Amino acid sequence: MTTETFEFQVEARQLLQLMIHSVYSNKDVFLRELVSNASDALDKLRLEKLRDDSLDADVSDLHIEIDVDKEARTLTVRDNGIGMSYDEVGQLIGTIANSGTATFLKELREAQDAANAEGLIGQFGVGFYSGFMVADEVTLVTRRAGEGQGTRWTSRGESTYTLEKVDDAPQGTSVMLHLKPADPENQLHDYTSPWTIKQIVKRYSDFITWPIRMVPEAADGEDAPEPETLNSMKALWARSRDEVSDDEYHELYKHISHDWREPLETIRLQAEGTFEYQALLFVPSHAPHDLFTRDFKRGVQLYVKRVFIMDDCEALLPPYLRFVKGVVDAQDLSLNVSREILQQDRHIRMMQRRLTKKVLSTIKEIKTKDADRYATFWREFGTALKEGLVTDSENRDAILAVASFATTHAEDEPTTLAQYVERMKDGQDDIYYITGESRQSIENSPHMEAFRDKGIEVLLLTDAVDEVWVDAVGEYEGKKLRSVAKGEIDLDGEKDEKAEGEREKQAEDYAGLLGWMREQLDEDIKEVRLSARLTVSPACVVSDAHDLTPALENMYRAMGQEVPRTKRILELNPGHPLVKNLNEAYKEREDRSGLVESAELLHTLAVLAEGGQPKDPARFVKLVADRLERTL
């Protein structure tokens, strides 16, 4: 057969170099990755055969086999699973088919320690390449179930690899590693040692549901012994808690999630009665790189009576808990269940409801008992969890109970809504918040001036989802959630007749200017009024109480939704010299054409102050330059 030589994709070549130069602190994990890939291939074949009985594939003895040859110094991991076609080998081996590859390599280089590097490699699903840590050459032979021809892939982990079609390949995949010499000082063990292989399998892969077999060494003059099964194949979720160590749970998590770091929390659940199922769920300690991408694979593994059915069963947990990994094993579902059927199944909905409540109650327990672990959880997954405030009204109170937010009360300590309410000033009826891109930008916003002046606490919300959930929730314990950048704000509390009289006098004094500016800026604003929220800045723009904010408008447009442009309100600070002088000039001049540019500049400055953009940047720059020129 013709052998073709190909260049590695640039990113794949960079990754190989990182692998070969010992990114991993523990080189033993190469075997875990190869066994994990083999287990996935067996799962996929059984599932495909279940769905298509006409598939020409032998599923009578699905297993993983490890074979060592001390003389040739090779180690082979072989499975009789789904296998790959020639095209699939070309697509999957030799390239990194992942939109986040560049991000991955950047994060990998910046990883602070080897453990973080291993976690990244697992997340990006490129564990196959770990074989090059222990091997000078890797040969992969595979044949897809149902096809007649196989494929051989060979590489020394340098710049090229070869592909060749072969006729005698068995069903499944075998990976042969031509091992480097043992080097104990660099954690490179003798992987032709049966004892070493057994120890690694027992440590990392004991729970794999398929038999992992190895033929023991034969004594001189004796026939080859029968293969020995190295793993117990016991489902951890079916065993009682006192029979399973934390390390065993953690290895199952790593196998399921391809994240090599320890999980933050392990959650067990066993439901009995009319509908029985067992669940073993894990909360990761780090958010995956693609958590907020459209292609993120969410859901937990679904088993029925210990038979693997589905890898990413989305129906078992709501989207805002998509970071949770684990296994659910149901006793009363059909083995032939499909994703479409799951969406409609009453039992599945019951399971989702129960699992969701269990995860949220576990998070609440973490928050109550372990501040450091809660801080880690909220930093990594708080943004995703807040999506549930919009989509899951049934569990909204439970989510609010574990949610925390940045606040002006303390720079480093987030607060809960309950804590905010406890600290509210006498006479304060509302919970105030402000949204924006960063804490620094919104703390310096003109909208915050009166609140800072009066010492009123404000929640500082900087995630995109914050623009949405505050409207969906509306209130907390009878206290309305109010944006400091929407509607009219009155922080004076009890009516002060003197202050009231001063405001009435100002309103009368500025009435002409306000009406005139409203006419001049009609294209951009719907009202000009005096402000009760400004103490330093000359002006600000605010949204009406029930209008969409500019950020929310932009969000909907980015999602492809047509949103009509909303005119906003311009508020002026009657105590600011610029506004005072503008009012005096308005009253003194009969020809006010020269003031139009001043009104325009004042409005644009207000837009810039809240982080917006000028409608016409070139015109704004020209107006400012002209004004500067006149002052020199």
Side-chain angles (χ1 to χ4, degrees):
M1 292 291 177
T2 303
T3 301
E4 294 184 86
T5 301
F6 298 90
E7 290 274 338
F8 274 110
Q9 177 195 34
V10 173
E11 291 87 355
R13 193 159 59 243
Q14 292 172 347
L15 176 63
L16 279 168
Q17 291 306 307
L18 288 168
M19 292 283 188
I20 292 167
H21 292 94
S22 302
V23 165
Y24 290 60
S25 59
N26 177 9
K27 294 178 175 61
D28 291 351
V29 295
F30 84 90
L31 187 55
R32 173 174 70 184
E33 286 301 293
L34 296 182
V35 168
S36 181
N37 290 346
S39 173
D40 289 345
L42 295 170
D43 285 337
K44 289 175 182 176
L45 177 59
R46 181 168 61 179
L47 191 58
E48 195 150 324
K49 183 68 173 177
L50 193 65
R51 292 174 176 169
D52 181 9
D53 192 49
S54 65
L55 179 68
D56 182 17
D58 181 9
V59 294
S60 60
D61 181 27
L62 298 179
H63 64 278
I64 300 165
E65 184 180 327
I66 300 175
D67 183 33
V68 295
D69 185 329
K70 285 195 171 186
E71 291 186 10
R73 286 201 57 76
T74 63
L75 181 149
T76 304
V77 178
R78 186 180 296 113
D79 68 74
N80 56 347
I82 192 69
M84 289 179 281
S85 67
Y86 183 90
D87 289 342
E88 286 173 328
V89 173
Q91 292 165 7
L92 300 173
I93 312 294
T95 63
I96 306 175
N98 190 304
S99 60
T101 300
T103 303
F104 163 55
L105 289 167
K106 178 175 180 290
E107 291 182 13
L108 189 58
R109 294 189 192 97
E110 295 174 354
Q112 296 298 308
D113 52 48
N116 283 337
E118 291 172 10
L120 287 168
I121 290 164
Q123 281 187 37
F124 278 80
V126 290
F128 167 78
Y129 296 100
S130 64
F132 286 98
M133 289 190 307
V134 300
D136 291 319
E137 182 175 291
V138 177
T139 300
L140 177 144
V141 178
T142 185
R143 176 171 66 82
R144 185 169 181 82
E147 295 188 358
Q149 194 170 56
T151 305
R152 180 183 290 113
W153 179 97
T154 304
S155 178
R156 295 187 61 82
E158 295 167 350
S159 60
T160 64
Y161 61 92
T162 63
L163 275 179
E164 177 186 5
K165 294 181 179 178
V166 293
D167 289 329
D168 57 349
Q171 169 189 303
T173 301
S174 71
V175 180
M176 177 183 285
L177 307 177
H178 300 265
L179 297 168
K180 297 176 182 178
D183 184 359
E185 288 187 9
N186 289 315
Q187 301 296 311
L188 189 60
H189 302 127
D190 180 8
Y191 297 112
T192 65
S193 162
W195 182 86
T196 300
I197 298 300
K198 289 179 183 179
Q199 290 295 109
I200 295 173
V201 169
K202 188 68 179 174
R203 180 180 178 188
Y204 292 125
S205 307
D206 190 58
F207 55 84
I208 296 289
T209 53
W210 304 106
I212 303 171
R213 299 171 184 161
M214 184 171 69
V215 178
E217 292 180 285
D220 291 341
E222 292 186 5
D223 294 334
E226 289 294 311
E228 177 185 354
T229 299
L230 306 183
N231 59 324
S232 69
M233 297 182 287
K234 291 182 179 178
L236 297 188
W237 56 89
R239 295 160 62 183
S240 63
R241 177 65 183 90
D242 54 8
E243 292 180 12
V244 186
S245 68
D246 287 341
D247 286 344
E248 288 178 296
Y249 280 138
H250 294 172
E251 288 307 322
L252 175 62
Y253 164 73
K254 293 170 185 177
H255 169 71
I256 290 170
S257 66
H258 299 291
D259 175 7
W260 291 4
R261 290 165 285 205
E262 305 286 296
L264 187 71
E265 184 62 61
T266 301
I267 304 171
R268 286 178 54 91
L269 180 64
Q270 182 155 339
E272 298 177 343
T274 55
F275 187 68
E276 297 185 3
Y277 61 92
Q278 297 157 319
L280 185 58
L281 305 178
F282 301 95
V283 177
S285 56
H286 296 267
H289 69 282
D290 54 352
L291 182 63
F292 295 99
T293 65
R294 184 172 296 179
D295 297 331
F296 180 72
K297 289 185 177 180
R298 67 180 182 88
V300 299
Q301 292 187 348
L302 175 64
Y303 285 71
V304 175
K305 298 173 185 173
R306 313 274 177 90
V307 176
F308 175 78
I309 298 297
M310 199 174 296
D311 202 12
D312 304 297
C313 184
E314 298 180 355
L316 289 170
L317 284 171
Y320 67 89
L321 294 179
R322 58 188 175 276
F323 53 85
V324 175
K325 300 297 181 183
V327 171
V328 174
D329 190 351
Q331 306 303 309
D332 304 300
L333 288 175
S334 165
L335 288 175
N336 205 22
V337 69
S338 68
R339 291 185 185 272
E340 291 72 27
I341 293 172
L342 286 174
Q343 296 294 337
Q344 308 299 324
D345 191 277
R346 181 174 60 89
H347 289 135
I348 291 291
R349 290 198 297 272
M350 289 168 54
M351 289 166 67
Q352 188 201 75
R353 191 174 294 120
R354 177 88 183 274
L355 292 171
T356 299
K357 291 185 182 300
K358 181 66 175 177
V359 172
L360 292 176
S361 67
T362 301
I363 295 169
K364 184 176 182 180
E365 190 174 335
I366 294 172
K367 182 178 182 300
T368 303
K369 296 181 177 179
D370 194 329
D372 289 341
R373 282 202 309 147
Y374 168 75
T376 297
F377 168 81
W378 192 255
R379 181 182 67 248
E380 299 293 327
F381 304 110
T383 302
L385 195 69
K386 285 188 287 187
E387 295 171 13
L389 294 172
V390 182
T391 60
D392 188 359
S393 57
E394 180 181 345
N395 291 298
R396 186 172 288 163
D397 289 343
I399 298 171
L400 283 175
V402 299
S404 57
F405 313 96
T407 171
T408 55
H409 176 72
E411 188 168 337
D412 300 321
E413 292 184 22
T415 191
T416 64
L417 293 185
Q419 291 169 329
Y420 180 103
V421 170
E422 286 178 7
R423 293 193 294 263
M424 284 174 61
K425 292 183 173 293
D426 291 341
Q428 181 181 340
D429 297 323
D430 301 321
I431 298 171
Y432 292 106
Y433 70 88
I434 184 171
T435 59
E437 292 186 359
S438 69
R439 177 173 184 137
Q440 182 179 3
S441 67
I442 57 181
E443 274 194 308
N444 293 327
S445 167
H447 302 123
M448 293 285 291
E449 292 174 1
F451 294 88
R452 189 183 301 111
D453 193 49
K454 294 181 180 294
I456 296 175
E457 184 176 356
V458 179
L459 301 178
L460 307 173
L461 309 179
T462 55
D463 292 326
V465 69
D466 293 329
E467 293 279 356
V468 184
W469 76 257
V470 286
D471 285 333
V473 173
E475 63 176 44
Y476 176 78
E477 292 187 358
K479 309 289 186 183
K480 287 185 178 179
L481 291 162
R482 285 197 63 187
S483 169
V484 304
K486 292 179 74 171
E488 293 196 64
I489 298 292
D490 182 5
L491 302 180
D492 287 336
E494 295 181 7
K495 296 295 181 183
D496 183 323
E497 288 187 11
K498 185 177 180 181
E500 194 75 20
E502 180 67 24
R503 280 197 292 269
E504 288 179 4
K505 184 178 177 182
Q506 285 179 339
E508 184 178 337
D509 188 37
Y510 279 85
L513 175 67
L514 299 181
W516 175 81
M517 287 186 68
R518 164 73 178 79
E519 292 177 5
Q520 302 306 316
L521 301 172
D522 178 66
E523 189 176 326
D524 299 303
I525 61 174
K526 63 180 173 183
E527 184 183 350
V528 183
R529 67 190 182 204
L530 297 182
S531 179
R533 74 186 90 212
L534 295 174
T535 61
V536 177
S537 301
C540 68
V541 283
V542 300
S543 300
D544 223 340
H546 302 292
D547 285 347
L548 295 179
T549 63
L552 204 51
E553 285 185 20
N554 292 336
M555 192 186 306
Y556 284 132
R557 290 192 184 102
M559 294 163 56
Q561 297 186 30
E562 288 293 327
V563 181
R565 181 170 168 270
T566 304
K567 291 184 180 181
R568 303 181 72 201
I569 298 166
L570 177 64
E571 288 193 350
L572 305 181
N573 178 1
H576 194 281
L578 176 58
V579 177
K580 285 182 177 179
N581 291 340
L582 182 60
N583 189 40
E584 290 303 316
Y586 169 81
K587 289 191 286 188
E588 291 172 0
R589 300 182 190 178
E590 291 188 11
D591 180 9
R592 302 185 179 103
S593 57
L595 298 180
V596 174
E597 290 182 354
S598 298
E600 186 179 340
L601 279 171
L602 191 58
H603 171 248
T604 307
L605 289 172
V607 171
L608 286 169
E610 68 161 8
Q613 296 294 322
K615 183 174 68 173
D616 186 343
R619 175 172 170 76
F620 173 69
V621 170
K622 182 178 183 303
L623 291 178
V624 172
D626 289 346
R627 291 302 170 102
L628 287 173
E629 184 181 345
R630 291 177 210 167
T631 64
L632 297 176

